[in-house]
Each structure stands twice: as C-alpha cells, then as structure tokens.
Amino acid sequence: MSQSKVFFRSAAEIGPANTQIDQIKELFLKIPVVEKGDLVAIKIHPGEYGNTTYVRPVIVRTVVDMVKEAGGIPFITDTTVLYGGKRFNGADLLWTAAVNGFTDGSMNAPFISADGLLGDDSVVVPIGGEFVENITVASAIAKADAMIMISHCKGHPASGFGGAVKNLGMGCLDKEGKAKVHAPGKPDIDMENCIGCRKCIKTCPWNAISLENGKANIDKSLCKGELSCIDSCKFQAIVPPENSTTEMQILLGEASIGPIKLLPGKIGYINWMFDLTPGCDCFNFSAPSFAGNVGMLASMDPVAIDKASLDLINKKIAEEGCLHSITDVWGIDPTIHLEYAAKMGAGSMKYSLDS
C-alpha cells in the first residue's frame, strides 16, 4: 500500500513570526478540497460546557476565512450527543458553541447542528462492513459539497485516542449512528455494590435505568451504551461488558467510512495536537495534559494523519519520560479503530511526514 502524505508544523517552531494562525494557513493549502461555490462543512468539537481545552475559536475562524478566500461558502458544525450534557439537542448544542466562542459574529460563519434539533436528521449510508452494514451520517455533513475536519487530539476512555477517525466515525453521525457504535457498551449492575442512590437514574437521558427492590436496573432495550452513568456511580456498581472498548473501536473504525463515501476526495483533515488532555472534549472539565504540545498536522487521509499524530505524541511522551505511550493513559490500544478504518478503505496506516 502506498504512503499517504501528512504535513506537520511543530509547536516548537511557534513564535512571533510563526504563530498557530500562520501554521494553519500553510496547512490549509496542503488540503485543497474547496472549489468555488462549494458549501463547506467545517467540522469541529466546540467542547462541552465547562470544558476549556477544545480547539481555539481563532483557529477555526482562520479556516473559515481561508475557505472564503478559496471561493467556498463555510458553515461550522457538530452533532448532538447521547449523554445528558449541554449538547444533547440542537438548541443546547448551539448555546454551548456560543458560550465557548463559536458564534456568527466571531466566526463570520453560522454554526449549524448537523443532525438537527433532536439528533435524528441524517442520511443512511450503506458501508458493507463486517459488523456495520449501514450507518447514519448527519444531514448537514452528508449534503455538504466538501468538509474541513479539525480534530483536537487527546485521550479517550473508549477508544484510547480521539482524532480524525473518531471525528468521522462518531462525530459525524446522528444519535442512531452513535448508538450503533456504542452498542457494545451496555453495562450491567453489580448488585452487591449498588446502594440505590439514584444518581445513575438522574444521569441517563434515555430513562434506561430504574430502581427495583432498592437496586438499579438497566433496560438494555433503552440503553445507548455511552456509559456516562459509570462516572455518576461512586460505588463501582455499574460494570461495562468485557472487551467493550475493543468492540466499540471496531465499530467506530467501520463507521468512519460513512462520511467519506458521501464526500469522496472532498474532505481535508487538520489535527490539532495541543492540550493533550486524558479525556475527550465531551467532558465538562479539562484535566491537566499528559504530555506537552506537539503541533499541527494536515492530510487528505484520516488514518494516516491519526497514525502520524499517535507516533508524534508517543515521541513527545518518550522525550518527557512521563509515560511509556498514549496507551498508558487509559490502558487501551488506540490503533484498533485506525486499523479497522484502513480495512474499510478510509485510508492508510503508512505515511510520509513532510515538515
């Protein structure tokens, strides 16, 4: 398999004459997917309410300006989520995006909930995976002419790492698609540990948890498997299935091909490797970084850019001696979803780095 090109700009090179804005302008030119008149989705994660380490608005605004210079019509977008935070529906998503700095005034482009008000506005895409036959991609992404995907690289409790592939195979899907990927995560209750405190009941937005005989009970026909209930329990009474993270990564990798099939050759990827937090930007807080800033990457290949990101992050970790690798953050091998994405034809694990 041939190598994909990945372009790198190092955080170590940043200074008064070479800012992140300068670097993002250089990298944008390496991913020429925007043609005159294109409706261009700029897919970001605006951060959950309370999170402070998402990709900075000034980076996104710079990409908006570059899209306009290229003749495109940009809009910024993200999708609603399965957990009960401040991005569960389209109204809350836009509110949170505005609070975190992504407004029409600051971006000079509108922010759109890609899967609509309730997270069910989508297009069914046949993908023919080993485990996923069809996946549902959010409509505003599915119907765009091109997409620039800006991903904040960080750890993740389910996939070990969040980058471009996760942004495709989770962030571009509607609620139904997300639930399909999360299906292996439907947990059980450890009755000995459960004290019937009801905190998990209040956490679940799907009414999947109830109290029976003083103990929590999970209705798996209602459960979406996204596991925020685990964090709500101080008594370790909610137990995820064995191998659930591996199985979820497999589904994630397969699902990532959905948006690519809809926009073949029209997606450019930028990975932002700053504020390398252990948790996702979906967390309502930002924990200290597990390693120092690395820089930014751009590519036309989501698998290659993520593999290069992991290699550069692991190199940074080795230099600092803080961990052995990013796998140590959650004890999860993050290459599984990349390998399955590559198997689906999303990209290549082999790359050449141009810095």
Side-chain angles (χ1 to χ4, degrees), residues 27 51 70 80 123-124 146 240 272 280 283 292 315:
L27 290 172
N51 192 289
T80 63
V123 171
V124 178
W272 191 75
C280 178
F283 287 18
K315 181 181 178 182

Side-chain angles (χ1 to χ4, degrees), residues 21 54 77 88-89 92 95-97 143 145 149 155 157 174 194 236 260-261 271 304 308 312-313 324 330:
I21 294 172
Y54 47 86
T77 195
F88 186 72
N89 57 60
D92 279 348
W95 179 87
T96 300
K143 296 177 182 180
D145 298 308
M149 175 169 282
D174 73 341
C194 179
Q236 298 181 325
I260 296 171
K261 280 185 172 290
N271 275 12
L312 287 165
I313 290 169
H324 289 100
W330 291 98

Side-chain angles (χ1 to χ4, degrees), residues 272-285:
W272 191 75
M273 296 180 290
F274 294 80
D275 292 324
L276 299 172
T277 52
C280 178
D281 294 343
C282 290
F283 287 18
N284 63 355
F285 67 97

Side-chain angles (χ1 to χ4, degrees), residues 64-80:
V64 166
D65 292 342
M66 296 292 285
V67 167
K68 288 189 173 185
E69 287 179 21
I73 304 166
F75 63 93
I76 302 161
T77 195
D78 190 25
T79 54
T80 63

Side-chain angles (χ1 to χ4, degrees), residues 117-198:
L117 181 63
L118 299 179
D120 57 1
D121 188 359
S122 61
V123 171
V124 178
V125 184
I127 62 174
E130 183 180 355
F131 301 97
V132 182
E133 182 62 31
N134 302 292
I135 202 66
T136 42
V137 176
S139 287
I141 291 168
K143 296 177 182 180
D145 298 308
M147 179 163 64
I148 303 294
M149 175 169 282
I150 309 174
S151 304
H152 175 206
C153 294
K154 65 276 177 190
H156 194 279
S159 58
F161 168 77
V165 172
K166 186 174 182 300
N167 212 343
L168 287 167
M170 186 67 70
C172 288
L173 308 183
D174 73 341
K175 279 184 165 62
E176 179 184 342
K178 288 183 174 73
K180 185 174 288 190
V181 174
H182 277 288
K186 297 182 180 183
D188 294 305
I189 300 296
D190 184 329
M191 294 300 178
E192 291 185 2
N193 287 346
C194 179
I195 66 166
C197 68
R198 296 178 176 266

Side-chain angles (χ1 to χ4, degrees), residues 1-6 165 299-308 338-339 341-343 345-352:
M1 185 179 291
S2 61
Q3 294 184 334
S4 295
K5 288 186 178 180
V6 179
V165 172
S299 181
M300 297 288 288
D301 183 328
V303 179
I305 197 173
D306 276 4
K307 182 59 168 64
L338 302 190
E339 290 168 352
K343 186 177 179 181
S348 171
M349 293 286 279
K350 297 182 178 179
Y351 65 90
S352 60

